[in-house]
Amino acid sequence: EEAAAWITSSYDDELDGDGDGEGFSDAAGTRACRARLGKGGLGVLAANQCNSPHSFKRIATLLQTAVLATLKEESDNLENLEPLCHALCHLICQARDLSLLNDVAGSLVRGLSEAKHDDRAVYNAFVAVARLEGGESVLVFPAVSLASSILTSSLESSNAIKHNDKDELINLFLKASLTSTPFPHPIHVALATPFLTSDHIIDQAAFDERLAPALGLKLRAHPESVLPILEVILACLTNNRRIDGSKHMVDGGDGASTNLLSSVSKHLKSAKLEMRWLAWKTLVHLAKLSYSEREGGMGRQTSLNLESTTLVTNALCEALTATTGSTALTTSDYRSGAYAALEGVAIYITNKLPGINGHNELSSLQFAERDTPNIAELADKVLSTLVG
């Protein structure tokens, strides 16, 4: 009751956008008030009272300011740091706002860098939050994102990353994503976007050895629960510059136990519209997991390769032309998902043709000139399938 009265009297105007900000500065500026925000539980209470983007942003500013102030003024005793980070992750989960998460990550990284604070202490605090279980498991997603942002910032200055750090973040993410009961909502999983798009953390080896096998196994065991999660994860990974998924779309070889392509494609024939929608969206993401790195005349050169895109396109064309068998799409409901997937793949290829200037951060990655004839053949096959 005391906490509720204090948050109400101190922050009502601030939350409504009518305050002058002085209450926020005072709250972050004294050790006693920071203790109430963290260990006292007031930060979590404030997050629960937020009901607008503005109020979420104001409380986020308060909490991240308190984190940085704690490092500066309480370096001899950082026991309040984890509760403050816990409140910050709770706030982000309540807001379900990726842009807020990105703002918080950027502000923390800048604040740590400018003040030369101990970023390891903040990293450890977010990892501790990510270790929480039970009803707190959704906090893993913003926690690993904020931890990886801090770790990546340290990497840029030190040019080193501890394998144990990366391994623990991946373990925490997979545990929360695929072993929690019930499975997390995809909106919460999306809060791990900064973590999944960091090629310092999720590199090709991490995808091949950890993510892809775990996702394939869980998808086969719990398709209705895991396909929504898989769709979000792969959507994030398409923005990771260094992931190629082609070997996890075929039987045999290194991807023998995975074959995400067949595991996803079968749901184009689901009786549920939502599952069919998720299936074609996920197939488009799989087609985009194409990355190639090779030696060239000017050193190592990176580009998109056509293998993943070809595997997905061929599978869709075969399913559309087949009249019998487990993969045949024989009804209009089933076929509509394949058509939508082919359209998505076509848009992707068109935007990534050599010489086409894109408008996103990955626009520099395009198909190589040597792939142009193969792209033309792929287009011919799709057209033959559609008009045949």
Side-chain angles (χ1 to χ4, degrees):
E1 292 180 359
E2 178 187 0
W6 191 75
I7 195 74
T8 300
S9 62
S10 300
Y11 293 145
D12 266 356
D13 288 341
E14 305 294 345
L15 293 176
D16 293 336
D18 300 325
D20 57 11
E22 292 181 359
F24 280 78
S25 299
D26 292 343
T30 67
R31 180 178 293 213
C33 287
R34 289 196 297 270
R36 296 177 77 180
L37 284 169
K39 292 183 294 183
L42 196 58
V44 171
L45 176 62
N48 291 338
Q49 289 187 346
C50 290
N51 56 16
S52 71
H54 179 78
S55 61
F56 280 116
K57 185 174 182 179
R58 295 305 300 273
I59 295 297
T61 300
L62 169 66
L63 291 171
Q64 66 198 29
T65 301
V67 167
L68 295 173
T70 298
L71 286 173
K72 179 181 179 181
E73 301 176 15
E74 304 177 44
S75 58
D76 58 327
N77 183 3
L78 295 176
E79 65 179 11
N80 193 43
L81 193 58
E82 182 185 331
L84 286 171
C85 291
H86 175 276
L88 196 50
C89 291
H90 181 80
L91 175 81
I92 293 168
C93 281
Q94 289 291 102
R96 299 183 174 191
D97 187 342
L98 185 57
S99 64
L100 177 65
L101 170 61
N102 289 330
D103 289 344
V104 168
S107 296
L108 282 177
V109 168
R110 285 192 301 274
L112 291 169
S113 176
E114 292 169 0
K116 294 181 170 46
H117 287 318
D118 180 12
D119 54 8
R120 189 72 197 184
V122 184
Y123 169 83
N124 288 337
F126 281 120
V127 171
V129 173
R131 293 186 185 125
L132 296 172
E133 298 184 358
E136 305 276 19
S137 61
V138 295
L139 301 185
V140 169
F141 305 114
V144 296
S145 285
L146 292 168
S148 63
S149 296
I150 293 169
L151 197 62
T152 301
S153 175
S154 300
L155 172 66
E156 291 174 353
S157 59
S158 67
N159 198 31
I161 186 171
K162 294 181 180 180
H163 174 75
N164 289 345
D165 289 336
K166 183 173 80 169
D167 201 47
E168 180 169 24
L169 291 178
I170 294 172
N171 284 339
L172 290 168
F173 172 77
L174 288 176
K175 182 178 180 181
S177 301
L178 302 176
T179 65
S180 297
T181 304
F183 285 95
H185 195 285
I187 291 178
H188 285 134
V189 179
L191 295 175
T193 297
F195 162 76
L196 290 168
T197 55
S198 172
D199 54 18
H200 295 302
I201 307 294
I202 306 298
D203 54 16
Q204 188 66 53
F207 180 75
D208 288 341
E209 299 167 12
R210 305 296 305 283
L211 265 68
L215 289 167
L217 181 65
K218 288 294 184 177
L219 178 61
R220 290 192 294 275
H222 308 280
E224 293 194 9
S225 296
V226 174
L227 187 57
I229 296 172
L230 176 65
E231 191 273 328
V232 168
I233 291 175
L234 293 185
C236 295
L237 290 176
T238 60
N239 291 315
N240 187 318
R241 296 173 184 267
R242 299 183 180 276
I243 300 298
D244 181 83
S246 57
K247 75 185 206 176
H248 299 284
M249 301 184 204
V250 294
D251 289 319
D254 294 332
S257 62
T258 310
N259 202 333
L260 293 172
L261 179 55
S262 65
S263 296
V264 173
S265 296
K266 68 174 63 176
H267 297 294
L268 290 173
K269 300 179 67 173
S270 172
K272 296 183 178 181
L273 174 61
E274 181 183 6
M275 290 294 285
R276 298 197 301 272
W277 183 86
L278 286 166
W280 78 255
K281 294 282 287 186
T282 305
L283 289 171
V284 175
H285 300 326
L286 285 173
K288 293 180 180 180
L289 291 182
S290 55
Y291 172 81
S292 177
E293 185 172 342
R294 64 186 180 86
E295 293 291 343
M298 301 178 66
R300 298 194 71 82
Q301 298 178 355
T302 60
S303 66
L304 301 175
N305 69 53
L306 199 58
E307 190 169 355
S308 296
T309 311
T310 300
L311 287 169
V312 172
T313 302
N314 284 340
L316 289 167
C317 289
E318 290 168 8
L320 285 168
T321 56
T323 57
T324 60
S326 60
T327 62
L329 302 176
T330 55
T331 72
S332 59
D333 286 344
Y334 300 163
R335 297 171 73 84
S336 63
Y339 295 144
L342 285 174
E343 180 183 21
V345 173
I347 292 172
Y348 164 67
I349 293 176
T350 302
N351 289 336
K352 295 299 181 179
L353 287 173
I356 300 294
N357 293 321
H359 299 284
N360 58 57
E361 62 180 6
L362 299 179
S363 60
S364 60
L365 281 181
Q366 298 175 323
F367 290 110
E369 290 284 353
R370 66 181 182 277
D371 285 325
T372 302
N374 296 327
I375 292 173
E377 290 182 10
L378 205 59
D380 287 342
K381 181 169 185 175
V382 172
L383 288 173
S384 297
T385 299
L386 296 178
V387 301

